Amino acid sequence: MTRSITTLTAAILLSLISFPTYSSAHCDTMDGPTVADGKMALTSGDITPALKWIMPDVEAELNAVFNHVLEVRSKSESSRELENRYFLETLVRLHRAGEGAPYTGVKPAGTELEPAVKLADESLESRSVDAL
């Protein structure tokens, strides 16, 4: 019985990996880890935390946007909000492209995630795959 459950679990995980659904990945939400690291980069003025989310071949593009944002965002509060959003959207777009996934914009914080994504996040936090 245990072997069949293990086989079934492995088959489900394999199907989730083989046929991903791009509509609810947490990397494209305002409260997801990609945006969190992008905000950290903006706050610190150091792009390093955001670079782990993109492929090396697009670092120059993200660096150019980051430097532009840091230059003009101090002009006014509305400019800061607009430029921050521009940087975060660029970061998510480049990250999604690196995954081979379509960019459909940055979803609002609190966007409902697929159960598999939630379980994967919980497994990472607990450092245990038992829930999966």
Side-chain angles (χ1 to χ4, degrees):
M1 180 73 167
T2 303
R3 184 176 175 98
S4 63
I5 292 172
T6 302
T7 304
L8 178 61
T9 302
I12 291 170
L13 288 174
L14 183 60
S15 70
L16 289 172
I17 293 168
S18 300
F19 303 104
T21 56
Y22 298 120
S23 60
S24 64
H26 65 305
C27 63
D28 64 353
T29 63
M30 284 301 288
D31 53 359
T34 307
V35 170
D37 284 343
K39 289 178 178 180
M40 185 186 315
L42 289 167
T43 300
S44 69
D46 177 10
I47 195 171
T48 306
L51 294 178
K52 70 181 171 193
W53 295 104
I54 61 169
M55 302 299 286
D57 62 329
V58 295
E59 282 184 15
E61 180 180 352
L62 189 64
N63 268 306
V65 170
F66 185 74
N67 291 330
H68 173 78
V69 165
L70 291 182
E71 180 182 324
V72 300
R73 68 195 286 254
S74 62
K75 305 270 188 228
S76 71
E77 185 58 34
S78 61
S79 172
R80 175 184 300 272
E81 290 173 19
L82 182 63
E83 291 299 323
N84 287 354
R85 181 72 184 207
Y86 174 58
F87 172 73
L88 296 173
E89 287 181 351
T90 301
L91 173 60
V92 170
R93 177 180 55 81
L94 294 175
H95 171 68
R96 298 288 283 168
E99 294 179 323
Y103 174 70
T104 57
V106 178
K107 315 286 184 300
T111 297
E112 187 64 28
L113 302 175
E114 303 247 351
V117 174
K118 287 180 185 179
L119 285 173
D121 282 347
E122 290 170 13
S123 293
L124 289 172
E125 288 175 15
S126 69
R127 298 185 182 271
S128 170
V129 295
D130 292 344
L132 289 173

